[in-house]
Structure formats: structure tokens, C-alpha cells
Amino acid sequence: MGSDIMGSGGRFNRRSTPGTRRAWLRWVPAVAAPAVIAAGVLAGTIPARAGDPLPAKTPAEVLALVGGHDGGHKPHSFSGTIEQSSDLGLPELPAAGPSSGPASAGGAASVFELLSGQHTARVYMDGKTKVRIQVMDRLAERDIIRRDSDLWFYSSRDNSAAHLTLPAFARDLPLVDPGLPGSPPPDQSVPDGAMPATPQELAEHLLAKVDSTTAVRVGDDVEVAGRAAYNLVLEPRTDATLVGNVAIAVDGETGMPLSVQVTARGADSPSFHAGFTSLSLEAPDDSLFTFVPPPGSTVEELQVPATGWPPGIHNPGMMITPDQLDAIHQRPDGIHQHPDGIHQDPAPSTVTGKGWETVVEIPAAAAGGTLAGSLLKDPLLSQAAVVVPGGRLLSTTLFNVLITDDGRIFAGMVPPDRLQAAASAVP
Amino acid sequence: MPSSVPADVPGVALRPARVPRGSGFSLMLSELRVLFARRRTWALLLALAAIPVLVAVAVRVSSSVPPGRGPAFLDRISQNGLFVAFTAMLVSVPLFLPLTVGVVAGDTIAGEANLGTLRYLLVAPAGRVRLLLVKYAGALAFCLVAPLTVGVAGAAIGAALFPVGPVTLLSGDVIQPPEAAVRILLIAAYLAVSLAGLSAIGLFLSTLTVVPVGAMAATVVVSVVSQVLDQLPQLEWLHPWLFSHYWFGFGDMLRQPVLWDTFASNALLQAGYITAFGALAYGRMVTKDVLS
């Protein structure tokens, strides 16, 4: 029996010489499999030109589409996944996210954390008053849940929750509104006559306003989250800013901003990108907007700050949505045009320069002398800030923040020397 | 005498023998029976089951864990025993599960070769490809049973030592214990899929040698190397291609609603590894000289 088997083995050996060609053939799958996989991956990365191209539109028409009055089918109910990635040249943070701190006390570190690396969030929205944002961390999650005037923050890392009752004035001010960035909230009942009547006029009015500082054009159509979108490109007309261009993808069907990317001057890839990776326009399950603090969690009751809500600053440790980002990026103009818009601030900041060259100064005394100090106390920030003549500089590819030795803070989307010049010019 | 052997007799050498349908199934059954009747397999599963027991006992005898310290979910165990299962599965992902899977997958072909039984298996009307498939299916069965053991043992010891109640998900939503059991099964399934790629690598390595320990060690080393590479920020472009990249993504099964994206990406990635290393194992298996 054994000899039979040895015999077969021997036969195998004997036949292996003429069989070499066939043995070679048998390795074909081993070569073909990776090749097929590679081909599949390549085919997947080629952006699919889906369906018909969008009808050509002028920037004003695209803006009007964003305004949502165009046809009136702007979705206020959707669920989607947003991915945000930043490559601002800041030191990489551990992927674990903020090390500690309750849900309410995000502070500077959380903002800083959002500025580096990659983040994914799911956003659910049903109407204007029901919102849920889930920021996905590894084996953890941070949630914002809003139903009407109840606003909850939850952090799974330490099982802490914070609750806020929105005051009446903020109730109509949606936390996340895919509305027109930098323009009045679209569905506000502004009496006609006070404002341009049609969205088209509104858009042209707005374009005319920014025209002195920014060139607005519509680039090639892009595809975001499987939807064809207009690509609204804003380019600063000045060389004195770090921003090369801002590209906003506007959904061709609904006018919803789908993604924002900010590219630094001279850079090939965007320094900041936030956008939907998937989007469904169906109304999410209503139970998603119900939040009851889980057993064993610590609950903190928060007070609404009297000065209102600058988006993205008081939102503790949370995602900046493309819409909020839009708002922020439109803000330089807004501040410049309406300096009284920030008069409520107990620490009056002064603004120099205009448009993209705006430099914001927060005086030391007004900030109580504590802001700069507390910023530098943060180990992450102090590590990232380098010592320059006159203070410490937090330098990124898109903006710079200078904390002078006497505690003043200068910030702007400008090169560092402009901040230093501003610091030395203002005594 | 070799000359007396007719040239067209289907042999064990290169051509798989024609076998009646259904013999693959019985071969599969016998392979599973052999695998799960082995004392070594039971030892591996017992070692895995010991992890949640250790975790639970350690939490039980020590003072309460402050939130945010230690592995995720550890601080929840004293309030809810079901979290033992989650913690134990989390703890076993980086080393223990790959270790046991490496032992089983590395043993598939090399173990038979080492015992001198591979040639008998090939003499039996099975064919090399079929044998390879059956061996891989056996390894996959272990991939499924291993995380399941951790999860079930964790839930059992947790229920024995701690109160069991509604489970708080990462999203802050609360689910009842029956649904939590479903989530434990989901995580076990996720981990089983995660380990399938490593199994395929182990199967290929196992065809290269007749020393099973070598294949086992190599498989475990590969899994450790992959995880180390996944930690290096300089190799960020490589990360989505590492088979261990989504191993910790099972946390997405604990969100409300369940985030299936990671599951899908993970399954796709593992399918790629199975295809690539399965093809390599096929190439090696059908060309190799089976002398033992």
C-alpha cells in the first residue's frame, strides 16, 4: 500500500519535467487574483460620470439654488454621513481623541482636535428643530441631540451628558441648517421690501458684495455622495491671504451644500475637507431624536451664554458641519460689513484689514488676561505654538494665530508676518 | 515498476480525482469533527473563555474603575454584567484571537504533512483543491466559534457576578438585554469576518512548510506586524490595505443605529485577502510535491 503511494509520488516526479509548463499555468490564479483586485480598486477610484451633466448655471443661479427658494424642494429631512479631514500641518494627535473632560467642557483642546486628522459623523435631521449629530470616535461616540428646545450633549467615553434648554430667540436658529451660508436664514419671515425679493436678486446682491474681494465661479461638476453637484469656487482676489480657494459642492437637485474644501495658496490637495460620503433624503426615524440620559451617566445642566451662539466656537468639542464652515468662511466679510454685529461681546475684539486679509485682535485686558494664558496652558496648544519675535505663533496652512507676550491674540488667514505687523502697529 | 502504471490512470499527482458529488460535504463534516474533537482546539477555546472570566473576577474583587480609564467599557462592568462580553472581546482582538486563529490556520495543511497524513488524504478520492477548500472552511468555522466563545463566556460570567440590565450603547441610547445579546452575536460575526483574511494567510503559509509550528508562528507574526504598521502615521496610505485595519471597528455594532459601513468595508477587504492568498495557496497546493 505504502509502496503504491510512493509509486504515485515517483510518477509525479517523473512527470514533472513535461508538466513544468502546466505547473506554471497553475500559478496563474495567484497572479491573476491580485491583478483583478487592483483593477477593481482602480475602477472604483475613477470618478463615475453619472448620468446627464447638470444644466449650466451661473454662480448667482447656483447661489439661488442654495437659497432653496428655487422650486421650494429643499430638504429639511435627511440622514447622511459626513467625513471631515484636515491637513493643516499641525502635529498629529493620538487617534483616541480628547483624553478626558465631560461632554460640556470641550474647550480649546476639542476645537484643536477637530482641526487635525480625520473625523466621521452621522447627521440626522428632520425638520428644522430635530437634529442629531453623532461624531464617531474609535469605540466611542459624541452626540448632539436636539428636539425642539431641548439640546443634549452626550459623550460615551466617560458616560457624561449635558442638557441645555434653548431660549426662545435661539429656537428658530437651527443648529445645523443647510441654508445659504452667510446670508440671512432662508425661511425667516423677513418682510418683503427690507430684503431683495427673489433669491436670484439676493444671490446677485451677495455676489456684488463679495465681488471686490472674491472671484466666484462655477467649476466643473463634481460628484459627492453619489449625487451630481455644482462646484462653486471662491477665490480670493488678494495674494495676502493663505487661502488659495474655497470649493463648495452644491447638490444639483436640492441645492444642499454637500461638501466644502479649502485649499491653501499653492497647495495641490485641500488642507480642509468636509463633506457627505452618503446622503439619504428620507426622514430619519423619529426615535433617533429622543434622548434620555442613560443610567449611571453624569448629567450637567448648562446655562445658555448670554451673548448668543457663535457657531463652532461654543459647540463643545463637536463637528463643524459644512454649513457652519460656510458660515465661518463667509464671516470675515460679515464682520467687516457689520462691526456692530459683535458689540455684545464683553471682550471687544478689533478687526483690521478687510476681506480675506482680516486680522482679528483680542486684547489682553478684555479677555480678562486669561484667554491667552489658558490657551497656552493647554499642553497640545503650547506644544504646537512656536516661539517667534513678539510672542508665540500657532501656524497652520490656512490660518495663523499669534499670542503676543503681553497676552493679546491676533488671528487671521494671513501669513505670520502680517500678524506680527498688526501686533506691533497696535500698541 | 513505474512503466507498468498506465499513463491515463487518474492519480494523486496533478489531476484531481473525479469524485461523486457530496463527498466534499462528508469530507467537510469529518474535518469539522476532527477539528473540534481535538484536545488542542478545546484548549484554545478554553483559553479564550478564560479572558472574560479574568476580566470579570478582576473587576469584581477590585474597587470601582473610574470612567475613562482602562479599556473601553471596563468602567461599565460593575453596573452591568453584559459589558464583560464587550470588554473581553475588545481585549482579545489584538493578540488572543489572532493567536488562536493562527494556530488553527497554520496547522491546516502543514499539520497533515507533518503527521504524514496528507498523502493519505490525497489518495482518498478528494482532490487537492477540495482538500484545500475543506481545510479553509474548517479554519473559518474556528474563526466563528472563537469570538463567539469569548462573547458567550463573557455574558455568562458577567450575568453570574454582576447585575444584568439595559445596556447603554455608544450613542447613549439604551437597549434591553435581549437586543444586547443580538449585538454580542453581531460583534462575534464581525470578528469572524475580520479573522477570515488572517486565516487565508495562515492557510497559504501552511502549504509552504511541513513544520506546522513554523506556519503558526509566521501567521501570528504577520498579524502583529500588520497591527504595528497600522499604528505608524507615516504609512497612512497603507492603512486601508492592512487586513487588521478594521479589527477595532466592531465598536460600530454598538451604535444606534448600527453603522454598517465598517462591516461592509471590512468584509470587502477580507474578501480581497481571501482571494489573493487563496489563489496563492491553490498555486502552491496543486504544484507542490507531496512527499509526506
Side-chain angles (χ1 to χ4, degrees):
Chain A
M1 221 166 90
S3 67
D4 267 7
I5 292 148
M6 289 320 285
S8 333
R11 196 169 60 83
F12 172 82
N13 283 340
R14 196 170 54 83
R15 279 179 47 170
S16 66
T17 319
T20 3
R21 223 177 61 230
R22 286 166 60 186
W24 171 83
L25 277 177
R26 286 171 201 276
W27 283 101
V28 166
V31 180
V36 168
I37 292 172
V41 169
L42 277 181
T45 52
I46 296 168
R49 283 262 151 244
D52 308 320
L54 293 167
K57 276 192 167 44
T58 64
E61 283 168 337
V62 173
L63 272 182
L65 184 69
V66 177
H69 304 263
D70 198 14
H73 49 90
K74 196 156 88 88
H76 274 300
S77 299
F78 65 89
S79 50
T81 308
I82 293 179
E83 245 176 47
Q84 178 222 335
S85 62
S86 316
D87 182 14
L88 295 174
L90 287 169
E92 192 83 15
L93 292 181
S99 51
S100 63
S104 53
S110 280
V111 175
F112 192 64
E113 179 235 337
L114 282 175
L115 291 178
S116 67
Q118 199 165 4
H119 299 275
T120 308
R122 285 192 291 190
V123 179
Y124 300 93
M125 195 161 159
D126 189 3
K128 296 185 80 179
T129 56
K130 286 190 276 185
V131 180
R132 177 161 193 163
I133 304 172
Q134 303 180 313
V135 183
M136 311 280 171
D137 299 319
R138 198 173 92 155
L139 293 169
E141 190 171 308
R142 285 166 284 169
D143 278 50
I144 310 179
I145 306 106
R146 180 186 173 192
R147 184 190 281 276
D148 302 326
S149 61
D150 282 322
L151 187 62
W152 283 96
F153 303 97
Y154 177 74
S155 167
S156 80
R157 205 177 291 281
D158 47 9
N159 200 15
S160 64
H163 177 250
L164 189 70
T165 307
L166 293 174
F169 75 84
R171 215 166 281 175
D172 298 326
L173 198 139
L175 197 61
V176 183
D177 182 47
L180 178 59
S183 78
D187 286 55
Q188 231 174 31
S189 50
V190 178
D192 285 347
M195 297 294 290
T198 69
Q200 194 71 33
E201 281 177 34
L202 184 78
E204 268 157 24
H205 183 73
L206 192 81
L207 276 178
K209 227 165 68 173
V210 301
D211 189 57
S212 58
T213 57
T214 313
V216 182
R217 63 184 170 84
V218 176
D220 292 336
D221 293 353
V222 289
E223 200 185 271
V224 180
R227 303 176 69 89
Y230 292 105
N231 193 15
L232 200 61
V233 183
L234 290 78
E235 260 175 283
R237 287 194 198 278
T238 164
D239 288 340
T241 173
L242 294 170
V243 178
N245 68 64
V246 178
I248 304 166
V250 177
D251 187 35
E253 196 185 318
T254 62
M256 221 170 119
L258 295 180
S259 82
V260 175
Q261 59 185 41
V262 187
T263 311
R265 185 168 295 279
D268 298 328
S269 55
S271 294
F272 179 92
H273 174 92
F276 284 98
T277 53
S278 71
L279 178 66
S280 154
L281 295 181
E282 280 161 34
D285 188 10
D286 192 63
S287 64
L288 276 173
F289 305 107
T290 305
F291 182 81
V292 179
S297 60
T298 53
V299 181
E300 191 186 347
E301 190 68 33
L302 298 178
Q303 298 304 316
V304 180
T307 50
W309 278 61
I313 296 168
H314 281 259
N315 277 5
M318 292 298 175
M319 191 79 184
I320 299 173
T321 67
D323 320 302
Q324 286 174 332
L325 189 87
D326 286 9
I328 291 167
H329 277 286
Q330 298 287 336
R331 198 52 52 90
D333 276 341
I335 289 175
H336 176 68
Q337 302 286 347
H338 312 287
D340 57 341
I342 47 171
H343 68 95
Q344 289 170 305
D345 204 317
S349 46
T350 43
V351 175
T352 53
K354 61 180 283 194
W356 296 92
E357 299 166 45
T358 304
V359 172
V360 181
E361 182 204 350
I362 303 172
T370 54
L371 184 56
S374 65
L375 278 179
L376 284 178
K377 239 175 254 161
D378 187 283
L380 291 169
L381 282 174
S382 62
Q383 201 185 341
V386 292
V387 178
V388 293
R392 296 169 70 104
L393 179 74
L394 183 67
S395 180
T396 73
T397 51
L398 287 182
F399 63 88
N400 284 304
V401 179
L402 177 71
I403 304 168
T404 60
D405 291 330
D406 52 4
R408 293 174 297 160
I409 300 173
F410 292 85
M413 295 186 286
V414 294
D417 51 334
R418 284 202 155 235
L419 290 182
Q420 283 167 304
S424 52
V426 187
Chain B
M1 292 299 285
S3 58
S4 70
V5 179
D8 57 317
V9 165
V12 294
L14 284 167
R15 189 170 307 170
R18 294 231 167 76
V19 284
R21 275 181 189 281
S23 82
F25 184 66
S26 63
L27 190 65
M28 177 78 227
L29 272 186
S30 96
E31 167 66 21
L32 287 180
R33 212 174 290 138
V34 169
L35 176 65
F36 287 103
R38 288 187 98 151
R39 224 173 282 165
R40 191 180 61 197
T41 310
W42 283 100
L44 291 176
L45 292 178
L46 276 179
L48 285 174
I51 297 168
V53 176
L54 276 178
V55 170
V57 171
V59 172
R60 181 80 194 166
V61 298
S62 63
S63 52
S64 67
V65 184
R69 295 275 304 277
F73 316 125
L74 192 66
D75 53 315
R76 314 279 172 87
I77 288 178
S78 54
Q79 296 144 31
N80 193 337
L82 289 177
F83 276 103
V84 176
F86 300 130
T87 313
M89 288 200 267
L90 173 69
V91 168
S92 56
V93 162
L95 185 61
F96 299 111
L97 283 175
L99 193 71
T100 51
V101 165
V103 167
V104 171
D107 190 55
T108 44
I109 304 294
E112 302 282 359
N114 187 47
L115 289 172
T117 45
L118 186 56
R119 53 188 165 165
Y120 295 103
L121 280 171
L122 294 177
V123 166
R128 297 187 177 205
V129 179
R130 196 173 297 229
L131 179 71
L132 201 64
L133 287 176
V134 164
K135 283 290 181 186
Y136 185 59
L140 279 188
F142 184 82
C143 286
L144 188 62
V145 171
L148 208 57
T149 307
V150 180
V152 171
I157 189 76
L161 292 185
F162 302 101
V164 169
V167 170
T168 307
L169 296 171
L170 291 177
S171 309
D173 300 68
V174 173
I175 56 171
Q176 295 306 311
E179 209 192 327
V182 174
R183 299 288 175 121
I184 292 177
L185 294 181
L186 266 181
I187 295 178
Y190 184 97
L191 293 179
V193 171
S194 305
L195 294 167
L198 181 65
S199 283
I201 295 172
L203 182 77
F204 168 60
L205 293 173
S206 189
T207 59
L208 295 179
T209 172
V210 294
V211 187
V213 176
M216 296 175 193
T219 311
V220 176
V221 166
V222 165
S223 89
V224 172
V225 167
S226 170
Q227 292 180 74
V228 169
L229 293 181
D230 208 14
Q231 295 294 318
L232 298 177
Q234 288 82 0
L235 296 175
E236 209 170 348
W237 55 272
L238 184 68
H239 290 174
W241 300 96
L242 295 170
F243 61 88
S244 63
H245 184 64
Y246 295 105
W247 278 6
F248 281 102
F250 71 84
D252 291 348
M253 302 289 110
L254 291 177
R255 304 187 195 278
Q256 186 77 336
V258 173
L259 178 64
W260 292 104
D261 298 10
T262 332
F263 199 111
S265 322
N266 185 32
L268 196 65
L269 178 73
Q270 303 299 335
Y273 269 91
I274 293 170
T275 313
F277 281 90
L280 277 173
Y282 165 81
R284 170 69 186 161
M285 190 70 183
V286 294
T287 54
K288 88 180 211 164
D289 293 350
V290 177
L291 298 174
S292 54

